[in-house]
Amino acid sequence: MDTAPVNLSEALASFDDVYSPRVVARMNDYDIRIAHTLGEHVWHVHDDTDEFFLVLDGRFDIALRDADGTETTVVLYRGDTFVVPRGTEHKPSSPGGSILMVEPSGTRTTGDRHEGEVPDHVDSTAGHALN
């Protein structure tokens, strides 16, 4: 067990990649991840898990799509939290910022299924170790 604390500001300063989360801690079977955000992610769904977001800096938008195709957008700013319910199609985007996420270990950033090609700036990963 690692007993050293992790400073989130220092951890975020250690990498520049966007939408490429780093695992800063594990709790039970969950990863605590941080990521820089900029630009558009992809529409995707996590079939079996909710997804928790905390905005650490900047702005982070989450477009949500209902089963009937209706879209709404939740706009989050520093200090705001939001949970995307399991099975909800969503697409994050940001003019720039950073976020903290809580998800079951092994959860991919592009979900169980996603729409379209994954752009080069989006890392389809279950998270990277913090170096």
Side-chain angles (χ1 to χ4, degrees):
M1 172 171 43
D2 189 356
T3 59
V6 174
N7 180 285
L8 296 180
S9 296
E10 291 174 7
L12 284 163
S14 73
F15 68 100
D16 294 322
D17 304 326
V18 298
Y19 296 122
S20 184
R22 301 309 195 261
V23 177
V24 295
R26 287 209 166 88
M27 180 182 71
N28 299 320
D29 296 328
Y30 285 80
D31 287 344
I32 314 302
R33 303 175 185 171
I34 57 171
H36 296 288
T37 60
L38 180 64
E40 305 243 338
H41 203 278
V42 294
W43 281 103
H44 64 282
V45 177
H46 300 282
D47 291 324
D48 299 318
T49 186
D50 300 337
E51 188 172 20
F52 172 88
F53 294 96
L54 165 64
V55 179
L56 299 173
D57 191 41
R59 191 176 103 201
F60 187 67
D61 302 342
I62 306 172
L64 306 168
R65 189 182 288 160
D66 292 336
D68 67 2
T70 303
E71 294 180 15
T72 57
T73 300
V74 177
V75 179
L76 304 170
Y77 296 94
R78 182 180 180 169
D80 290 343
T81 66
F82 187 76
V83 174
V84 176
R86 73 188 69 203
T88 302
E89 191 173 15
H90 60 287
K91 179 182 182 181
S93 64
S94 175
S98 57
I99 57 173
L100 180 142
M101 299 163 283
V102 179
E103 303 176 289
S105 297
T107 301
R108 297 197 66 76
T109 58
T110 52
D112 300 308
R113 50 196 160 88
H114 63 272
E115 183 178 290
E117 295 294 318
V118 176
D120 290 340
H121 70 278
V122 174
D123 186 6
S124 184
T125 180
H128 301 282
L130 185 62
N131 294 332

